Amino acid sequence: MDSILVTGNGPVNGEIPITGAKNACLTLMPATLLSDEPLTLTNAPRLSDIKTMTALLGSLGAEVQPLQGGKVLAMSSHNVESQRAEYDIVRKMRASILVLGPLLARFGYAEVSLPGGCAIGARPVDLHLKAFEAMGAELELKDGYVFARAPKGLRGGRVEFPFVSVGATENALMAATLAKGTTQLINAAREPEIVDLAQALRKMGAQIDGEGTDTITIQGVDRLGGATHQVVADRIEMGTYMLAPAIAGGSVELTNCSVDLIGAFIDKLAAAGVEVTPTENGVRVTRTADRVRAVDVITEPYPGFPTDLQAQFMAMMCTADGTSVLEEKIFENRFMHAPELLRMGAQIEVHGGTARVTGVPQLKGAPVMATDLRASVSLILAGLAAKGETLVNRVYHLDRGYEHVEEKLGAIGAKIERVTGS
Ligand code: UD1
């Protein structure tokens, strides 16, 4: 298993290009199942999660051809012959559940194993299933699989989510494009990845209104066509690398992205005393003070502070001046990075969904264990500010969501290398 070795090396300076969003790509890829015409994605990230989705779509009979080294995905679901998503693939990635809506909508039938994914809480899929029921599907849970049927096709319905779910909104949105009549998604997620999906579906011929607000209205159509779509920039990759100069000092410009994707996070960086300036093609982040200030954070659905940046922000708070309180409201078990940060000399107390972090002037390098995708990168960021060597083990989590992390951080002067394991 590979590890990443980071040696604290002072300030970072330079430029990092941001790639297409993993989470957008993981919902845009299953959208190909809605049509028998080609869907081509540009600006796709090269990540193991994308390979997992490629394998899943392939197992159904869809073709996914990676072009330009994987930056372009040319997909066709002309020859889909299976509507069964097997446990062996689905268990690797929770986003696999996103094939359920498209399969059910186009073929009237789907069998999908219940998903696995990052170990950050129970993460059920009940909201996805309730949405399909509201559209007339009959569901059965048997042997760890969901069997979904709508022999006469889905029909439009009113889907009211009791709380915001990104995945359930995406699944329901895709399914509703081919349902008979009008569907309303109420209390829908507003993430930029939802907006990106709606834009791609519209290019395929779907009739959608209200994406980016909490009510999305979809007028079902008989069929969808092909399209080419550029995947939106990855706001989580962007936020992660914004924290590199904030933690280590220095000034870094992130390109191919936009500050509009990441509102509440920027406010918190500014409150911590970090300078954030929009540029023509992205954003520049500069730390001028010796230490950042402690800032409290509560994770919330978009446009609130993203749970996917909580671990990285905690890494920054570990060296802040003062005590901060980080409250995790989206996932019940998402502080697994805290004990690892403690190994590096951080002062953190976790009580349920709340972490109290008292900044120390200097972290110390240590061997640590990556427990999930965002936790892994938070340990790398902490390593940038630590004295000595930090060896982050189990980095396969990292490869699920960060393209070329060593090259990108290396390019801004970080001392970071991959240690290939057996
Ligand atoms: C997506 C993102 C993930 C991010 C999360 C929240 C992808 C591939 N993943 O995950 O990176 O951390 O949004 O921003 O886009 N829930 C239920 N029942 C359901 C569905 C969700 O109880 O049927 C709960 C979850 O356990 C969680 C909360 O709702 O506590 C929000 O989850 P959700 O927004 O659905 O996250 P994902 O779509 O899985």
Side-chain angles (χ1 to χ4, degrees):
M1 241 179 261
D2 289 1
S3 309
I4 299 256
L5 182 66
V6 189
T7 311
N9 192 29
V12 286
N13 287 287
E15 184 182 315
I16 299 181
I18 297 303
T19 50
K22 166 181 89 79
N23 287 351
C25 206
L26 287 177
T27 185
L28 289 162
M29 291 176 76
T32 184
L33 295 168
L34 289 164
S35 169
D36 63 358
E37 289 184 35
L39 174 62
T40 299
L41 299 177
T42 62
N43 198 35
R46 282 150 306 172
L47 302 168
S48 64
D49 269 7
I50 302 302
K51 287 192 183 145
T52 304
M53 185 57 86
T54 300
L56 174 56
L57 293 173
S59 76
L60 305 172
E63 290 159 39
V64 181
Q65 214 185 342
L67 304 173
Q68 297 180 25
K71 277 183 106 167
V72 173
L73 299 173
M75 304 184 288
S76 166
S77 294
H78 187 68
N79 293 322
V80 168
E81 67 233 2
S82 163
Q83 286 80 40
R84 180 176 167 91
E86 292 285 351
Y87 173 70
D88 263 357
I89 303 184
V90 174
R91 72 183 168 83
K92 294 186 186 155
M93 188 178 69
R94 178 179 163 79
S96 307
I97 193 74
L98 295 171
V99 301
L100 181 50
L103 284 174
L104 181 60
R106 177 157 157 224
F107 301 100
Y109 181 73
E111 302 175 19
V112 178
S113 167
L114 291 166
C118 276
I120 53 173
R123 304 185 83 179
V125 292
D126 52 324
L127 300 189
H128 300 240
L129 304 187
K130 287 204 177 92
F132 299 135
E133 271 174 342
M135 289 186 238
E138 286 164 25
L139 303 174
E140 193 186 353
L141 294 182
K142 208 171 63 182
D143 308 328
Y145 280 73
V146 182
F147 295 78
R149 291 179 186 81
K152 294 187 190 138
L154 292 171
R155 54 173 162 69
R158 185 185 148 89
V159 178
E160 186 159 356
F161 296 109
F163 53 90
V164 173
S165 160
V166 176
T169 302
E170 292 166 344
N171 229 341
L173 171 59
M174 289 190 279
T177 58
L178 291 179
K180 286 187 192 73
T182 306
T183 301
Q184 263 205 325
L185 306 181
I186 297 170
N187 201 18
R190 293 180 279 167
E191 270 66 3
E193 293 75 27
I194 306 269
V195 174
D196 202 41
L197 173 64
Q199 285 168 352
L201 292 169
R202 204 178 284 123
K203 287 181 199 161
M204 294 166 73
Q207 291 186 15
I208 302 168
D209 270 319
E211 74 274 14
T213 75
D214 61 6
T215 305
I216 307 179
T217 307
I218 306 109
Q219 183 68 48
V221 295
D222 289 342
R223 59 179 299 278
L224 293 178
T228 296
H229 181 78
Q230 179 179 330
V231 180
V232 67
D234 195 320
R235 67 196 162 93
I236 305 300
E237 190 195 30
M238 182 183 163
T240 299
Y241 291 133
M242 286 171 82
L243 286 168
I247 287 179
S251 180
V252 172
E253 184 179 1
L254 306 170
T255 55
N256 303 340
C257 58
S258 157
V259 284
D260 297 342
L261 293 170
I262 198 166
F265 177 74
I266 288 189
D267 299 342
K268 291 294 176 185
L269 267 189
V274 178
E275 251 178 60
V276 179
T277 325
T279 59
E280 205 172 308
N281 189 23
V283 61
R284 174 168 288 281
V285 181
T286 308
R287 196 185 87 194
T288 44
D290 264 1
R291 282 175 85 177
V292 294
R293 288 191 289 273
V295 176
D296 296 345
V297 155
I298 300 177
T299 63
E300 284 172 335
Y302 192 86
F305 189 99
T307 174
D308 284 352
L309 287 171
Q310 176 262 110
Q312 301 90 313
F313 200 85
M314 183 187 286
M316 178 169 79
M317 287 299 103
C318 286
T319 56
D321 190 4
T323 297
S324 56
V325 176
L326 277 57
E327 214 176 318
E328 175 55 60
K329 290 269 201 194
I330 309 291
F331 294 113
E332 72 269 27
N333 186 19
R334 206 174 196 184
F335 285 134
M336 285 176 298
H337 40 285
E340 302 301 315
L341 290 165
L342 287 181
R343 294 172 54 76
M344 299 177 71
Q347 285 186 21
I348 307 168
E349 289 165 42
V350 174
H351 297 286
T354 301
R356 201 179 155 82
V357 185
T358 302
V360 296
Q362 175 80 69
L363 292 173
K364 292 186 266 318
V368 287
M369 189 86 84
T371 48
D372 68 57
L373 169 55
R374 308 303 171 186
S376 359
V377 85
S378 76
L379 298 171
I380 291 178
L381 288 175
L384 297 179
K387 189 170 165 50
E389 292 188 340
T390 300
L391 184 68
V392 184
N393 293 298
R394 287 209 191 157
V395 291
Y396 59 87
H397 290 293
L398 189 77
D399 296 330
R400 292 185 47 201
Y402 288 91
E403 181 183 289
H404 303 152
V405 69
E406 313 92 282
E407 284 89 335
K408 288 190 175 187
L409 286 174
I412 57 169
K415 203 166 167 212
I416 176 167
E417 63 184 290
R418 184 171 289 250
V419 183
T420 312
S422 51

